[in-house]
Amino acid sequence: YKRQVSTQSTGLFGSEGSCYQMESKQLLGMHDYGQTTSWAHPNNKVFRYFVLFVISMICFGSYYAYDEIQPFQSDLKMEPDYGLAIDDTRFGLLYSIYSFPNTVLPFFGGFLGDYLGLRFASILLACFVVTGSFLVSAGPLIGSYWVMFAGRFIFGVGAESLNVTQTAMIPRWFGEGGELALCFGIVLSMSRLGDFLSIVLGAPLANLMGDYKASLWIGTLLSVVSFSAAVWYAVIDQYAEPFLHKEKPEKLSLKTFKSLKDIRFWIVCFLCMSYYSGVLPFVAQLNDWLQGKYGYSVDKASWYSGTVTLTSLFFSPILGKFVDMLGRRPYFVIVGSLLIFPAHCLLAFTGPADKGFSVFLDPIIPIILVGFSFSLVPSALWPCVPMIIDPESVATAFGVMTAIQNSGLAIANALAGVIKENYGFNGQMVFFMIMDGLGLFLGILLVIIDTSKNGVLSRTSKDHNEIKNNE
């Protein structure tokens, strides 16, 4: 570690990036040649995985709050005395209004992370998450759909951009260790654990607390936990900054966005949009769909719909490790797309005999297939971005990718509600299958173009880092 010593200091929310001082190196037990003897040093594995845990918790609460209304779709529609007057279309709009502001805002969230610092950006955006979650919980108490609607809007302003800054933290800390996809998988798993708990435990907690309105406040509480994690990250990252060897970000210029011109980046963005449009609206409607088509109770439907998230949170780190070891990211995306298409077909064209279906298949089987696909594709897709985008623009790139994803989700959620009202559950499934097919096409296109550009996305993480260091 023969680096120039700098006495420059940055505040808690300052720009990340400076060289470390010799006194700090000695204090933390770090010697020359990179040997680390203290657990308190940022290069120590224990320290790094503690940081990964803190990063993972930043979006845990927002993921819980995002789907906390899903188990109560029937309650919201069947309780007119609450004054909410929610039908399928209005319920779909609670998801769409979350996505509408994020057709643009994640770009600015990524920009905020790149040029004002991930620490400041994450704390600011977590404040929006807490405020929005509070209003969503307050809406049913005062019998106002529009308070819930406004809360989902404010929540969306913060949550997706917070996810962008969280995603950019991963390559900042783990981009050079050959474990990028593994760390993405772990962070995804922790976030989806929050989502799973909201879907599965929502109804039982409502029964325990006596009312679904009371259980919504758990999402608000966990949003505060996410805010606390953002503060913890700011403190830890400030402490570790002298040892991360990150240069101060350049000022905004057109040159900064040069790497965004790579056609593979845009294919990845639209592939992400089409794939998620076939998964997230499906998950949002799944609980009510299981109750309507199969006659399941709210509790059973919650467990079944939560299986998508449970499967993905279990397999995401495992598959992420395989992606790091084997590379071939575009091929993994194709495999994931090939898994989800037949799953949607089975859910559309099989069912109970009393509903007119000739073949019955327990829906848990295709639901698990969806969950496995939802583990594989994101674990392979998101790590593609730092492999083709310059480090100083990674957060901005993730912001662009998230903005495009949410543009598709805003339309897909609204369309899913309209299609359900006019063509029923099977009409919805056909729509999801179309999105699956588009994702498969873009995956094949990504393989073809990446192969013509030296197969960068097919490299293992270790090989990619070695090539980058030798350039």
Side-chain angles (χ1 to χ4, degrees), residues 227-273:
F227 173 82
S228 302
V231 173
W232 263 105
Y233 174 82
V235 173
I236 294 170
D237 194 69
Q238 167 63 22
Y239 162 76
E241 184 179 56
F243 303 89
L244 292 177
H245 315 314
K246 302 292 183 182
E247 296 180 0
K248 187 176 180 179
E250 299 177 358
K251 293 182 179 179
L252 177 63
S253 69
L254 293 177
K255 293 182 180 180
T256 306
F257 301 101
K258 185 178 179 180
S259 61
L260 299 186
K261 289 174 149 183
D262 194 315
I263 186 65
R264 291 169 298 179
F265 169 69
W266 295 101
I267 293 174
V268 167
C269 288
F270 284 100
L271 199 163
C272 178
M273 180 194 74

mmCIF file of all heavy atoms in Angstrom, residues 227-273:
data_model
loop_
_atom_site.group_PDB
_atom_site.id
_atom_site.type_symbol
_atom_site.label_atom_id
_atom_site.label_comp_id
_atom_site.label_asym_id
_atom_site.label_seq_id
_atom_site.Cartn_x
_atom_site.Cartn_y
_atom_site.Cartn_z
ATOM 1 N N PHE A 227 -33.955 3.588 7.844
ATOM 2 C CA PHE A 227 -33.343 4.899 8.037
ATOM 3 C C PHE A 227 -32.132 4.785 8.969
ATOM 4 O O PHE A 227 -31.073 5.378 8.708
ATOM 5 C CB PHE A 227 -34.371 5.871 8.619
ATOM 6 C CG PHE A 227 -33.801 7.205 9.013
ATOM 7 C CD1 PHE A 227 -33.595 8.197 8.066
ATOM 8 C CD2 PHE A 227 -33.463 7.465 10.333
ATOM 9 C CE1 PHE A 227 -33.060 9.433 8.429
ATOM 10 C CE2 PHE A 227 -32.930 8.684 10.713
ATOM 11 C CZ PHE A 227 -32.723 9.672 9.744
ATOM 12 N N SER A 228 -32.282 4.012 10.036
ATOM 13 C CA SER A 228 -31.178 3.822 10.980
ATOM 14 C C SER A 228 -29.986 3.147 10.305
ATOM 15 O O SER A 228 -28.826 3.495 10.567
ATOM 16 C CB SER A 228 -31.641 2.992 12.172
ATOM 17 O OG SER A 228 -32.730 3.608 12.835
ATOM 18 N N ALA A 229 -30.269 2.181 9.417
ATOM 19 C CA ALA A 229 -29.188 1.504 8.697
ATOM 20 C C ALA A 229 -28.454 2.472 7.783
ATOM 21 O O ALA A 229 -27.227 2.392 7.629
ATOM 22 C CB ALA A 229 -29.746 0.331 7.895
ATOM 23 N N ALA A 230 -29.185 3.398 7.156
ATOM 24 C CA ALA A 230 -28.545 4.400 6.300
ATOM 25 C C ALA A 230 -27.606 5.287 7.112
ATOM 26 O O ALA A 230 -26.509 5.653 6.650
ATOM 27 C CB ALA A 230 -29.610 5.247 5.597
ATOM 28 N N VAL A 231 -28.026 5.641 8.323
ATOM 29 C CA VAL A 231 -27.165 6.446 9.198
ATOM 30 C C VAL A 231 -25.921 5.637 9.589
ATOM 31 O O VAL A 231 -24.803 6.158 9.581
ATOM 32 C CB VAL A 231 -27.941 6.889 10.453
ATOM 33 C CG1 VAL A 231 -27.005 7.585 11.439
ATOM 34 C CG2 VAL A 231 -29.093 7.817 10.071
ATOM 35 N N TRP A 232 -26.114 4.356 9.909
ATOM 36 C CA TRP A 232 -24.987 3.496 10.260
ATOM 37 C C TRP A 232 -23.997 3.392 9.111
ATOM 38 O O TRP A 232 -22.780 3.443 9.319
ATOM 39 C CB TRP A 232 -25.492 2.096 10.630
ATOM 40 C CG TRP A 232 -25.641 1.879 12.110
ATOM 41 C CD1 TRP A 232 -26.787 1.835 12.824
ATOM 42 C CD2 TRP A 232 -24.579 1.706 13.053
ATOM 43 N NE1 TRP A 232 -26.523 1.637 14.152
ATOM 44 C CE2 TRP A 232 -25.156 1.550 14.324
ATOM 45 C CE3 TRP A 232 -23.189 1.668 12.944
ATOM 46 C CZ2 TRP A 232 -24.420 1.361 15.473
ATOM 47 C CZ3 TRP A 232 -22.438 1.470 14.104
ATOM 48 C CH2 TRP A 232 -23.049 1.314 15.340
ATOM 49 N N TYR A 233 -24.529 3.245 7.891
ATOM 50 C CA TYR A 233 -23.643 3.168 6.736
ATOM 51 C C TYR A 233 -22.825 4.446 6.599
ATOM 52 O O TYR A 233 -21.610 4.393 6.312
ATOM 53 C CB TYR A 233 -24.436 2.939 5.441
ATOM 54 C CG TYR A 233 -23.551 3.001 4.216
ATOM 55 C CD1 TYR A 233 -22.803 1.896 3.826
ATOM 56 C CD2 TYR A 233 -23.429 4.173 3.476
ATOM 57 C CE1 TYR A 233 -21.959 1.951 2.730
ATOM 58 C CE2 TYR A 233 -22.583 4.242 2.378
ATOM 59 C CZ TYR A 233 -21.857 3.126 2.009
ATOM 60 O OH TYR A 233 -21.004 3.198 0.927
ATOM 61 N N ALA A 234 -23.464 5.590 6.798
ATOM 62 C CA ALA A 234 -22.748 6.868 6.685
ATOM 63 C C ALA A 234 -21.593 6.933 7.681
ATOM 64 O O ALA A 234 -20.486 7.364 7.343
ATOM 65 C CB ALA A 234 -23.714 8.031 6.907
ATOM 66 N N VAL A 235 -21.841 6.491 8.908
ATOM 67 C CA VAL A 235 -20.797 6.518 9.940
ATOM 68 C C VAL A 235 -19.659 5.556 9.581
ATOM 69 O O VAL A 235 -18.473 5.906 9.638
ATOM 70 C CB VAL A 235 -21.404 6.150 11.314
ATOM 71 C CG1 VAL A 235 -20.304 5.996 12.357
ATOM 72 C CG2 VAL A 235 -22.411 7.200 11.750
ATOM 73 N N ILE A 236 -20.020 4.333 9.176
ATOM 74 C CA ILE A 236 -19.003 3.321 8.858
ATOM 75 C C ILE A 236 -18.206 3.714 7.622
ATOM 76 O O ILE A 236 -16.976 3.589 7.594
ATOM 77 C CB ILE A 236 -19.664 1.947 8.652
ATOM 78 C CG1 ILE A 236 -20.280 1.456 9.958
ATOM 79 C CG2 ILE A 236 -18.663 0.925 8.124
ATOM 80 C CD1 ILE A 236 -21.152 0.229 9.802
ATOM 81 N N ASP A 237 -18.893 4.198 6.598
ATOM 82 C CA ASP A 237 -18.212 4.545 5.363
ATOM 83 C C ASP A 237 -17.273 5.734 5.565
ATOM 84 O O ASP A 237 -16.183 5.789 4.982
ATOM 85 C CB ASP A 237 -19.238 4.873 4.276
ATOM 86 C CG ASP A 237 -18.626 4.908 2.890
ATOM 87 O OD1 ASP A 237 -18.236 3.835 2.393
ATOM 88 O OD2 ASP A 237 -18.536 6.007 2.304
ATOM 89 N N GLN A 238 -17.674 6.681 6.420
ATOM 90 C CA GLN A 238 -16.798 7.805 6.747
ATOM 91 C C GLN A 238 -15.551 7.318 7.484
ATOM 92 O O GLN A 238 -14.427 7.754 7.203
ATOM 93 C CB GLN A 238 -17.561 8.818 7.605
ATOM 94 C CG GLN A 238 -16.710 9.882 8.281
ATOM 95 C CD GLN A 238 -16.004 10.778 7.276
ATOM 96 O OE1 GLN A 238 -16.447 10.882 6.130
ATOM 97 N NE2 GLN A 238 -14.929 11.408 7.696
ATOM 98 N N TYR A 239 -15.741 6.380 8.404
ATOM 99 C CA TYR A 239 -14.620 5.808 9.145
ATOM 100 C C TYR A 239 -13.659 5.066 8.211
ATOM 101 O O TYR A 239 -12.431 5.150 8.342
ATOM 102 C CB TYR A 239 -15.172 4.860 10.209
ATOM 103 C CG TYR A 239 -14.169 3.878 10.760
ATOM 104 C CD1 TYR A 239 -13.195 4.264 11.682
ATOM 105 C CD2 TYR A 239 -14.199 2.535 10.360
ATOM 106 C CE1 TYR A 239 -12.278 3.350 12.183
ATOM 107 C CE2 TYR A 239 -13.287 1.619 10.854
ATOM 108 C CZ TYR A 239 -12.334 2.030 11.771
ATOM 109 O OH TYR A 239 -11.430 1.125 12.263
ATOM 110 N N ALA A 240 -14.229 4.341 7.237
ATOM 111 C CA ALA A 240 -13.413 3.488 6.371
ATOM 112 C C ALA A 240 -12.891 4.202 5.135
ATOM 113 O O ALA A 240 -12.041 3.656 4.427
ATOM 114 C CB ALA A 240 -14.241 2.271 5.934
ATOM 115 N N GLU A 241 -13.364 5.399 4.880
ATOM 116 C CA GLU A 241 -13.040 6.092 3.635
ATOM 117 C C GLU A 241 -11.542 6.175 3.330
ATOM 118 O O GLU A 241 -11.130 5.950 2.183
ATOM 119 C CB GLU A 241 -13.648 7.495 3.639
ATOM 120 C CG GLU A 241 -13.444 8.249 2.339
ATOM 121 C CD GLU A 241 -14.094 9.622 2.393
ATOM 122 O OE1 GLU A 241 -13.772 10.399 3.318
ATOM 123 O OE2 GLU A 241 -14.920 9.899 1.529
ATOM 124 N N PRO A 242 -10.693 6.465 4.306
ATOM 125 C CA PRO A 242 -9.262 6.561 3.984
ATOM 126 C C PRO A 242 -8.644 5.251 3.497
ATOM 127 O O PRO A 242 -7.563 5.260 2.932
ATOM 128 C CB PRO A 242 -8.631 6.989 5.325
ATOM 129 C CG PRO A 242 -9.737 7.632 6.086
ATOM 130 C CD PRO A 242 -10.960 6.866 5.696
ATOM 131 N N PHE A 243 -9.344 4.138 3.698
ATOM 132 C CA PHE A 243 -8.774 2.842 3.339
ATOM 133 C C PHE A 243 -9.418 2.230 2.094
ATOM 134 O O PHE A 243 -9.042 1.152 1.672
ATOM 135 C CB PHE A 243 -8.928 1.869 4.513
ATOM 136 C CG PHE A 243 -8.288 2.377 5.768
ATOM 137 C CD1 PHE A 243 -9.002 3.170 6.644
ATOM 138 C CD2 PHE A 243 -6.957 2.093 6.051
ATOM 139 C CE1 PHE A 243 -8.411 3.660 7.806
ATOM 140 C CE2 PHE A 243 -6.371 2.578 7.211
ATOM 141 C CZ PHE A 243 -7.092 3.364 8.081
ATOM 142 N N LEU A 244 -10.421 2.913 1.527
ATOM 143 C CA LEU A 244 -11.093 2.382 0.346
ATOM 144 C C LEU A 244 -10.391 2.784 -0.948
ATOM 145 O O LEU A 244 -10.682 2.239 -2.010
ATOM 146 C CB LEU A 244 -12.548 2.865 0.304
ATOM 147 C CG LEU A 244 -13.456 2.304 1.397
ATOM 148 C CD1 LEU A 244 -14.847 2.903 1.286
ATOM 149 C CD2 LEU A 244 -13.524 0.791 1.310
ATOM 150 N N HIS A 245 -9.491 3.762 -0.868
ATOM 151 C CA HIS A 245 -8.688 4.182 -2.014
ATOM 152 C C HIS A 245 -9.551 4.623 -3.191
ATOM 153 O O HIS A 245 -9.259 4.312 -4.340
ATOM 154 C CB HIS A 245 -7.751 3.064 -2.474
ATOM 155 C CG HIS A 245 -7.050 2.376 -1.346
ATOM 156 N ND1 HIS A 245 -6.444 3.064 -0.323
ATOM 157 C CD2 HIS A 245 -6.883 1.054 -1.072
ATOM 158 C CE1 HIS A 245 -5.906 2.208 0.532
ATOM 159 N NE2 HIS A 245 -6.171 0.978 0.100
ATOM 160 N N LYS A 246 -10.651 5.334 -2.911
ATOM 161 C CA LYS A 246 -11.510 5.830 -3.972
ATOM 162 C C LYS A 246 -11.181 7.286 -4.246
ATOM 163 O O LYS A 246 -11.091 8.102 -3.330
ATOM 164 C CB LYS A 246 -12.993 5.712 -3.578
ATOM 165 C CG LYS A 246 -13.409 4.290 -3.238
ATOM 166 C CD LYS A 246 -13.392 3.400 -4.454
ATOM 167 C CE LYS A 246 -13.871 2.001 -4.107
ATOM 168 N NZ LYS A 246 -13.830 1.093 -5.242
ATOM 169 N N GLU A 247 -10.999 7.602 -5.511
ATOM 170 C CA GLU A 247 -10.714 8.976 -5.872
ATOM 171 C C GLU A 247 -11.976 9.811 -5.809
ATOM 172 O O GLU A 247 -13.088 9.320 -5.996
ATOM 173 C CB GLU A 247 -10.132 9.037 -7.285
ATOM 174 C CG GLU A 247 -8.783 8.337 -7.405
ATOM 175 C CD GLU A 247 -8.245 8.420 -8.817
ATOM 176 O OE1 GLU A 247 -8.935 9.013 -9.667
ATOM 177 O OE2 GLU A 247 -7.149 7.894 -9.054
ATOM 178 N N LYS A 248 -11.798 11.121 -5.579
ATOM 179 C CA LYS A 248 -12.929 12.030 -5.501
ATOM 180 C C LYS A 248 -13.633 12.086 -6.849
ATOM 181 O O LYS A 248 -12.992 12.212 -7.881
ATOM 182 C CB LYS A 248 -12.462 13.432 -5.097
ATOM 183 C CG LYS A 248 -13.614 14.400 -4.840
ATOM 184 C CD LYS A 248 -13.082 15.730 -4.355
ATOM 185 C CE LYS A 248 -14.223 16.707 -4.087
ATOM 186 N NZ LYS A 248 -13.734 18.005 -3.588
ATOM 187 N N PRO A 249 -14.972 11.981 -6.885
ATOM 188 C CA PRO A 249 -15.682 11.984 -8.149
ATOM 189 C C PRO A 249 -15.438 13.260 -8.937
ATOM 190 O O PRO A 249 -15.273 14.347 -8.386
ATOM 191 C CB PRO A 249 -17.160 11.884 -7.724
ATOM 192 C CG PRO A 249 -17.127 11.298 -6.369
ATOM 193 C CD PRO A 249 -15.873 11.801 -5.733
ATOM 194 N N GLU A 250 -15.397 13.127 -10.273
ATOM 195 C CA GLU A 250 -15.212 14.280 -11.129
ATOM 196 C C GLU A 250 -16.487 15.102 -11.179
ATOM 197 O O GLU A 250 -17.579 14.633 -10.890
ATOM 198 C CB GLU A 250 -14.846 13.818 -12.544
ATOM 199 C CG GLU A 250 -13.545 13.027 -12.606
ATOM 200 C CD GLU A 250 -13.273 12.532 -14.011
ATOM 201 O OE1 GLU A 250 -14.113 12.777 -14.904
ATOM 202 O OE2 GLU A 250 -12.229 11.899 -14.214
ATOM 203 N N LYS A 251 -16.339 16.372 -11.595
ATOM 204 C CA LYS A 251 -17.504 17.209 -11.773
ATOM 205 C C LYS A 251 -18.307 16.721 -12.969
ATOM 206 O O LYS A 251 -17.783 16.099 -13.874
ATOM 207 C CB LYS A 251 -17.077 18.673 -11.976
ATOM 208 C CG LYS A 251 -16.447 19.296 -10.734
ATOM 209 C CD LYS A 251 -16.096 20.743 -10.991
ATOM 210 C CE LYS A 251 -15.488 21.390 -9.746
ATOM 211 N NZ LYS A 251 -15.125 22.805 -9.995
ATOM 212 N N LEU A 252 -19.596 17.037 -12.946
ATOM 213 C CA LEU A 252 -20.473 16.587 -14.010
ATOM 214 C C LEU A 252 -20.032 17.144 -15.359
ATOM 215 O O LEU A 252 -19.780 18.335 -15.503
ATOM 216 C CB LEU A 252 -21.905 17.047 -13.723
ATOM 217 C CG LEU A 252 -22.947 16.723 -14.783
ATOM 218 C CD1 LEU A 252 -23.083 15.217 -14.934
ATOM 219 C CD2 LEU A 252 -24.279 17.357 -14.425
ATOM 220 N N SER A 253 -19.927 16.268 -16.343
ATOM 221 C CA SER A 253 -19.609 16.662 -17.714
ATOM 222 C C SER A 253 -20.163 15.596 -18.645
ATOM 223 O O SER A 253 -20.524 14.501 -18.232
ATOM 224 C CB SER A 253 -18.095 16.796 -17.905
ATOM 225 O OG SER A 253 -17.465 15.544 -17.834
ATOM 226 N N LEU A 254 -20.206 15.932 -19.926
ATOM 227 C CA LEU A 254 -20.711 14.968 -20.899
ATOM 228 C C LEU A 254 -19.822 13.736 -20.964
ATOM 229 O O LEU A 254 -20.287 12.632 -21.251
ATOM 230 C CB LEU A 254 -20.808 15.633 -22.284
ATOM 231 C CG LEU A 254 -21.862 16.737 -22.412
ATOM 232 C CD1 LEU A 254 -21.798 17.348 -23.805
ATOM 233 C CD2 LEU A 254 -23.258 16.192 -22.143
ATOM 234 N N LYS A 255 -18.524 13.908 -20.679
ATOM 235 C CA LYS A 255 -17.610 12.772 -20.708
ATOM 236 C C LYS A 255 -17.976 11.727 -19.654
ATOM 237 O O LYS A 255 -17.702 10.538 -19.818
ATOM 238 C CB LYS A 255 -16.164 13.247 -20.495
ATOM 239 C CG LYS A 255 -15.615 14.091 -21.650
ATOM 240 C CD LYS A 255 -14.172 14.483 -21.369
ATOM 241 C CE LYS A 255 -13.600 15.316 -22.514
ATOM 242 N NZ LYS A 255 -12.202 15.720 -22.262
ATOM 243 N N THR A 256 -18.578 12.196 -18.567
ATOM 244 C CA THR A 256 -18.948 11.289 -17.487
ATOM 245 C C THR A 256 -19.911 10.209 -17.962
ATOM 246 O O THR A 256 -19.891 9.080 -17.482
ATOM 247 C CB THR A 256 -19.595 12.089 -16.335
ATOM 248 O OG1 THR A 256 -18.708 13.135 -15.954
ATOM 249 C CG2 THR A 256 -19.859 11.201 -15.134
ATOM 250 N N PHE A 257 -20.767 10.566 -18.927
ATOM 251 C CA PHE A 257 -21.798 9.651 -19.386
ATOM 252 C C PHE A 257 -21.387 8.888 -20.637
ATOM 253 O O PHE A 257 -22.214 8.224 -21.255
ATOM 254 C CB PHE A 257 -23.088 10.422 -19.660
ATOM 255 C CG PHE A 257 -23.607 11.153 -18.454
ATOM 256 C CD1 PHE A 257 -23.399 12.517 -18.301
ATOM 257 C CD2 PHE A 257 -24.289 10.474 -17.459
ATOM 258 C CE1 PHE A 257 -23.873 13.186 -17.186
ATOM 259 C CE2 PHE A 257 -24.763 11.133 -16.344
ATOM 260 C CZ PHE A 257 -24.554 12.492 -16.202
ATOM 261 N N LYS A 258 -20.109 8.974 -21.011
ATOM 262 C CA LYS A 258 -19.657 8.314 -22.233
ATOM 263 C C LYS A 258 -19.896 6.818 -22.191
ATOM 264 O O LYS A 258 -20.316 6.197 -23.172
ATOM 265 C CB LYS A 258 -18.171 8.610 -22.460
ATOM 266 C CG LYS A 258 -17.648 8.054 -23.768
ATOM 267 C CD LYS A 258 -16.176 8.431 -23.953
ATOM 268 C CE LYS A 258 -15.650 7.854 -25.264
ATOM 269 N NZ LYS A 258 -14.215 8.205 -25.472
ATOM 270 N N SER A 259 -19.665 6.201 -21.030
ATOM 271 C CA SER A 259 -19.811 4.745 -20.942
ATOM 272 C C SER A 259 -21.266 4.307 -21.042
ATOM 273 O O SER A 259 -21.546 3.136 -21.319
ATOM 274 C CB SER A 259 -19.193 4.227 -19.637
ATOM 275 O OG SER A 259 -19.838 4.778 -18.514
ATOM 276 N N LEU A 260 -22.213 5.244 -20.824
ATOM 277 C CA LEU A 260 -23.626 4.891 -20.939
ATOM 278 C C LEU A 260 -24.041 4.664 -22.384
ATOM 279 O O LEU A 260 -25.137 4.189 -22.652
ATOM 280 C CB LEU A 260 -24.512 5.989 -20.330
ATOM 281 C CG LEU A 260 -24.336 6.292 -18.837
ATOM 282 C CD1 LEU A 260 -25.377 7.291 -18.388
ATOM 283 C CD2 LEU A 260 -24.406 5.038 -18.003
ATOM 284 N N LYS A 261 -23.151 4.985 -23.315
ATOM 285 C CA LYS A 261 -23.459 4.796 -24.734
ATOM 286 C C LYS A 261 -23.393 3.329 -25.151
ATOM 287 O O LYS A 261 -23.892 2.968 -26.222
ATOM 288 C CB LYS A 261 -22.461 5.585 -25.588
ATOM 289 C CG LYS A 261 -22.646 7.095 -25.522
ATOM 290 C CD LYS A 261 -21.509 7.753 -26.280
ATOM 291 C CE LYS A 261 -21.953 9.043 -26.908
ATOM 292 N NZ LYS A 261 -20.867 9.650 -27.707
ATOM 293 N N ASP A 262 -22.793 2.498 -24.350
ATOM 294 C CA ASP A 262 -22.651 1.083 -24.691
ATOM 295 C C ASP A 262 -24.027 0.454 -24.917
ATOM 296 O O ASP A 262 -24.885 0.478 -24.034
ATOM 297 C CB ASP A 262 -21.910 0.354 -23.558
ATOM 298 C CG ASP A 262 -21.415 -1.023 -23.968
ATOM 299 O OD1 ASP A 262 -22.186 -1.765 -24.602
ATOM 300 O OD2 ASP A 262 -20.258 -1.353 -23.644
ATOM 301 N N ILE A 263 -24.242 -0.112 -26.098
ATOM 302 C CA ILE A 263 -25.539 -0.679 -26.451
ATOM 303 C C ILE A 263 -25.942 -1.799 -25.500
ATOM 304 O O ILE A 263 -27.133 -2.018 -25.225
ATOM 305 C CB ILE A 263 -25.510 -1.188 -27.922
ATOM 306 C CG1 ILE A 263 -26.906 -1.656 -28.350
ATOM 307 C CG2 ILE A 263 -24.490 -2.312 -28.091
ATOM 308 C CD1 ILE A 263 -27.932 -0.569 -28.392
ATOM 309 N N ARG A 264 -24.957 -2.501 -24.928
ATOM 310 C CA ARG A 264 -25.271 -3.579 -23.992
ATOM 311 C C ARG A 264 -25.955 -3.040 -22.744
ATOM 312 O O ARG A 264 -26.832 -3.703 -22.166
ATOM 313 C CB ARG A 264 -24.001 -4.343 -23.621
ATOM 314 C CG ARG A 264 -23.399 -5.162 -24.737
ATOM 315 C CD ARG A 264 -22.022 -5.660 -24.379
ATOM 316 N NE ARG A 264 -21.089 -4.551 -24.161
ATOM 317 C CZ ARG A 264 -19.814 -4.707 -23.819
ATOM 318 N NH1 ARG A 264 -19.322 -5.921 -23.644
ATOM 319 N NH2 ARG A 264 -19.034 -3.659 -23.647
ATOM 320 N N PHE A 265 -25.549 -1.849 -22.322
ATOM 321 C CA PHE A 265 -26.174 -1.249 -21.146
ATOM 322 C C PHE A 265 -27.664 -1.027 -21.391
ATOM 323 O O PHE A 265 -28.505 -1.326 -20.530
ATOM 324 C CB PHE A 265 -25.488 0.068 -20.791
ATOM 325 C CG PHE A 265 -26.228 0.883 -19.766
ATOM 326 C CD1 PHE A 265 -26.311 0.455 -18.459
ATOM 327 C CD2 PHE A 265 -26.857 2.074 -20.128
ATOM 328 C CE1 PHE A 265 -27.007 1.199 -17.503
ATOM 329 C CE2 PHE A 265 -27.550 2.815 -19.186
ATOM 330 C CZ PHE A 265 -27.628 2.382 -17.875
ATOM 331 N N TRP A 266 -28.026 -0.532 -22.559
ATOM 332 C CA TRP A 266 -29.428 -0.252 -22.856
ATOM 333 C C TRP A 266 -30.220 -1.538 -23.041
ATOM 334 O O TRP A 266 -31.409 -1.601 -22.675
ATOM 335 C CB TRP A 266 -29.531 0.659 -24.077
ATOM 336 C CG TRP A 266 -28.927 1.996 -23.790
ATOM 337 C CD1 TRP A 266 -27.697 2.456 -24.163
ATOM 338 C CD2 TRP A 266 -29.512 3.020 -22.980
ATOM 339 N NE1 TRP A 266 -27.471 3.715 -23.646
ATOM 340 C CE2 TRP A 266 -28.579 4.096 -22.926
ATOM 341 C CE3 TRP A 266 -30.721 3.160 -22.310
ATOM 342 C CZ2 TRP A 266 -28.829 5.266 -22.227
ATOM 343 C CZ3 TRP A 266 -30.976 4.333 -21.618
ATOM 344 C CH2 TRP A 266 -30.028 5.364 -21.582
ATOM 345 N N ILE A 267 -29.592 -2.564 -23.590
ATOM 346 C CA ILE A 267 -30.280 -3.860 -23.677
ATOM 347 C C ILE A 267 -30.550 -4.399 -22.279
ATOM 348 O O ILE A 267 -31.640 -4.910 -21.987
ATOM 349 C CB ILE A 267 -29.444 -4.865 -24.497
ATOM 350 C CG1 ILE A 267 -29.370 -4.426 -25.964
ATOM 351 C CG2 ILE A 267 -30.045 -6.265 -24.404
ATOM 352 C CD1 ILE A 267 -28.454 -5.285 -26.804
ATOM 353 N N VAL A 268 -29.560 -4.288 -21.390
ATOM 354 C CA VAL A 268 -29.735 -4.722 -20.007
ATOM 355 C C VAL A 268 -30.887 -3.957 -19.355
ATOM 356 O O VAL A 268 -31.711 -4.533 -18.633
ATOM 357 C CB VAL A 268 -28.426 -4.541 -19.208
ATOM 358 C CG1 VAL A 268 -28.678 -4.680 -17.712
ATOM 359 C CG2 VAL A 268 -27.377 -5.556 -19.655
ATOM 360 N N CYS A 269 -30.963 -2.657 -19.599
ATOM 361 C CA CYS A 269 -32.029 -1.830 -19.015
ATOM 362 C C CYS A 269 -33.406 -2.291 -19.463
ATOM 363 O O CYS A 269 -34.315 -2.481 -18.637
ATOM 364 C CB CYS A 269 -31.826 -0.368 -19.398
ATOM 365 S SG CYS A 269 -30.451 0.456 -18.579
ATOM 366 N N PHE A 270 -33.584 -2.481 -20.763
ATOM 367 C CA PHE A 270 -34.904 -2.867 -21.261
ATOM 368 C C PHE A 270 -35.211 -4.334 -20.971
ATOM 369 O O PHE A 270 -36.386 -4.705 -20.824
ATOM 370 C CB PHE A 270 -34.994 -2.567 -22.756
ATOM 371 C CG PHE A 270 -35.180 -1.103 -23.043
ATOM 372 C CD1 PHE A 270 -34.102 -0.309 -23.428
ATOM 373 C CD2 PHE A 270 -36.419 -0.498 -22.886
ATOM 374 C CE1 PHE A 270 -34.259 1.039 -23.669
ATOM 375 C CE2 PHE A 270 -36.587 0.861 -23.118
ATOM 376 C CZ PHE A 270 -35.513 1.636 -23.514
ATOM 377 N N LEU A 271 -34.181 -5.158 -20.861
ATOM 378 C CA LEU A 271 -34.382 -6.535 -20.430
ATOM 379 C C LEU A 271 -34.883 -6.558 -18.991
ATOM 380 O O LEU A 271 -35.811 -7.302 -18.649
ATOM 381 C CB LEU A 271 -33.065 -7.299 -20.556
ATOM 382 C CG LEU A 271 -33.106 -8.830 -20.593
ATOM 383 C CD1 LEU A 271 -31.786 -9.381 -21.135
ATOM 384 C CD2 LEU A 271 -33.362 -9.430 -19.223
ATOM 385 N N CYS A 272 -34.287 -5.723 -18.162
ATOM 386 C CA CYS A 272 -34.712 -5.603 -16.762
ATOM 387 C C CYS A 272 -36.174 -5.161 -16.701
ATOM 388 O O CYS A 272 -36.974 -5.711 -15.934
ATOM 389 C CB CYS A 272 -33.806 -4.608 -16.036
ATOM 390 S SG CYS A 272 -34.237 -4.314 -14.315
ATOM 391 N N MET A 273 -36.535 -4.178 -17.522
ATOM 392 C CA MET A 273 -37.911 -3.668 -17.536
ATOM 393 C C MET A 273 -38.904 -4.758 -17.918
ATOM 394 O O MET A 273 -39.918 -4.967 -17.240
ATOM 395 C CB MET A 273 -38.036 -2.508 -18.517
ATOM 396 C CG MET A 273 -39.432 -1.916 -18.599
ATOM 397 S SD MET A 273 -39.654 -0.840 -20.022
ATOM 398 C CE MET A 273 -39.744 -2.071 -21.341
#
